[in-house]
């Protein structure tokens, strides 16, 4: 019996597909190269043309759009098993996420990508309306004001049969945009302040049938839970301890009860914190599971067809299989010890530090603090973020990467969204 497969967008301009043999063991099925001009930031999966075979899409920086710095969404439409036709679409600059969901309520799923306006520094969502044949229309812009999105989840949060958008703002907060249909959204509702918000998930953590929101807080080493106590009304937020530098979260029922549980992926301690739900919005720590080095994203599914929910992580810094060979850790539920990881390689070519591989639509979110100054000027000026004595598009890529990995370039201190916009202006002036 076949099982769920996995896909990662690798740093070496490659989409890697891992085929499930049906028992939770994976092998590399194919690698799909895409143009060097695209630097992948996230990947999403779905059946775009309703043919029963999963298709894929990545959000990406388009380095050849200089000086415009537009981003791209590249869809990979399956023409046969593990064979794909690639279709690029232009979206807003600096995309950090991509989601496949019905955003306009017409029963056909769409693609949406986070973006940042290069002139104003304000956030947008690039909305690509889906067609029945698996293609997507030209991107439309949904303005977000001064909210700059890092992660995006589309869900019917308030149970009114209209899709809503839940997103993290790289300025240390999270918001819900409640939809009224046809990709129209009202005034954002702020959930609360979060120290360096990263991945998020919407799930029912109590018994009131309304979706709640959990957000990984990289700066606080915790996961913050916002319970929806009435439609569109949220609690002030409670938090549970996680490991060092949590970057992603996932929800599911991992034990025998009917309560929703949480997984928190910790980049700094290279492990996953398992939080078992009590059914009232609180959690108990069950165990900590070690995965490959530098995990950046997590996804759940029943990988060995035993009726239990497992999980997998994309590991950015793992070199178990050799230098520049990243990995995916597959962790099966119910094997002694309760969660047992196995690691599968995903080859990537040597590349400059940019973004990271991810097996889901989530990608490592921005981690700046507002008001942080740009780096000390170098001989080429304050926009020379990689200190090579030149102002060019590599400086823009470096400042973006600095937001995500905390180490790129010669920038001192955390970076905020306005820093990216300022570097773009300095490079293009």
């Amino acid at each position: 019996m076949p099982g769920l497969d996995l896909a990662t967008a690798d740093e070496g301009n490659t989409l890697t597909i891992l085929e499930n043999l049906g028992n939770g063991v994976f092998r590399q099925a194919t690698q799909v190269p895409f143009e060097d001009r695209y630097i992948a930031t996230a990947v999403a999966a779905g059946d775009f043309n309703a043919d029963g075979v999963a298709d894929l899409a990545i959000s990406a920086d388009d380095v050849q759009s200089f000086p415009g710095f537009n981003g791209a969404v590249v869809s990979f439409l399956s023409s046969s098993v593990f064979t794909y036709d690639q279709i690029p679409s232009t979206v807003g600059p600096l995309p950090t996420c991509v989601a496949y969901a019905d955003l306009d309520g017409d029963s056909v799923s769409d693609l949406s990508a986070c973006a940042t306006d290069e002139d104003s520094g304000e956030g947008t969502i690039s909305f690509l309306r889906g067609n029945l044949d698996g293609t997507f229309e030209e991107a439309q812009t949904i303005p977000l004001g001064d909210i700059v999105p890092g992660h995006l989840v589309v869900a019917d949060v308030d149970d009114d049969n209209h899709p809503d958008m839940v997103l993290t703002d790289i300025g240390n907060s999270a918001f819900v945009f409640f939809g009224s249909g046809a990709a129209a959204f009202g005034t954002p509702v702020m959930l609360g302040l979060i120290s360096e918000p990263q991945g998020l998930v919407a799930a029912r953590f109590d018994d009131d049938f309304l979706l709640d929101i959990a957000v990984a807080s990289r700066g606080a080493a915790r996961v913050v839970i916002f319970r929806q106590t009435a439609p569109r009304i949220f609690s002030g937020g409670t938090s549970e301890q996680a490991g060092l530098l949590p970057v992603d979260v996932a929800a599911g029922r991992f034990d025998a009860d009917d309560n929703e549980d949480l997984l928190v992926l910790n980049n700094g301690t290279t492990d996953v914190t398992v939080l078992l739900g009590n059914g009232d919005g609180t959690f108990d720590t069950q165990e900590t599971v070690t995965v490959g080095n530098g995990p950046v994203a997590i996804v759940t599914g029943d990988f060995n067809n035993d009726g239990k929910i497992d999980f997998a992580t994309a590991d950015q810094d793992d070199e178990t299989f050799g230098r520049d060979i990243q990995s995916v850790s597959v962790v099966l539920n119910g094997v002694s010890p309760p969660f047992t990881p196995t690691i599968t390689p995903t080859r990537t070519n040597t590349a400059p530090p940019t973004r990271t591989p991810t097996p889901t639509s989530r990608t490592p979110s921005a981690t700046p603090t507002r008001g942080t100054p740009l780096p000390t000027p170098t001989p080429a000026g304050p926009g020379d973020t990689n200190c090579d004595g030149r102002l060019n598009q590599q400086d823009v890529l470096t400042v973006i990467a600095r937001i995500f990995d905390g180490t790129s370039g010669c920038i001192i201190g955390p970076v905020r969204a306005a820093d990216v916009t300022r570097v773009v202006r300095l490079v293009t002036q």
Side-chain angles (χ1 to χ4, degrees), residues 170-376:
I170 66 175
N172 293 337
S173 52
F175 291 85
V176 181
F177 285 74
F178 289 103
S180 57
F185 298 89
T187 302
V189 174
M190 182 177 179
L191 295 175
L193 294 175
I194 306 166
S195 177
E196 301 182 15
Q198 298 283 297
L200 74 161
V201 68
R204 294 179 176 87
F205 298 126
D206 51 28
D207 58 1
D208 64 2
F209 301 102
L210 291 171
L211 290 179
D212 309 303
I213 311 297
V215 185
S217 173
R218 185 179 187 272
R222 304 184 73 86
V223 57
V224 184
I225 298 99
F226 299 94
R227 291 177 56 201
Q228 189 176 189
T229 56
R232 303 192 178 190
I233 304 297
F234 290 87
S235 67
T238 58
S239 66
E240 301 286 343
Q241 187 67 49
L244 182 63
L245 305 180
V247 293
D248 208 355
V249 290
R253 296 178 179 178
F254 304 113
D255 55 6
D257 62 28
D258 292 328
N259 300 328
E260 203 77 6
D261 309 311
L262 267 175
L263 302 176
V264 187
L265 181 64
N266 307 304
N267 178 270
T269 45
T270 66
D271 56 26
V272 173
T273 302
V274 181
L275 299 171
L276 297 185
N278 296 315
D280 59 359
T282 64
F283 299 84
D284 293 325
T285 302
Q286 172 66 18
E287 62 175 311
T288 300
V289 184
T290 300
V291 293
N293 288 334
V296 293
I298 189 169
V299 65
T300 61
D302 182 4
F303 298 133
N304 58 348
N305 297 307
D306 65 353
K308 300 177 182 179
I309 302 300
D310 314 304
F311 67 88
T313 67
D315 310 320
Q316 175 187 6
D317 301 323
D318 189 65
E319 293 188 346
T320 299
F321 301 95
R323 184 175 176 81
D324 298 325
I325 302 179
Q326 299 169 340
S327 71
V328 166
S329 296
V330 176
V331 184
L332 301 180
N333 188 349
V335 181
S336 183
F339 284 97
T340 302
T342 58
I343 300 178
T344 303
T346 62
R347 179 180 61 83
T348 180
N349 299 323
T350 302
T354 54
R355 240 69 61 87
T356 53
T358 170
T360 68
S361 62
R362 294 182 293 273
T363 190
S365 178
T367 57
T369 303
R370 293 193 191 278
T372 302
L374 277 174
T376 303

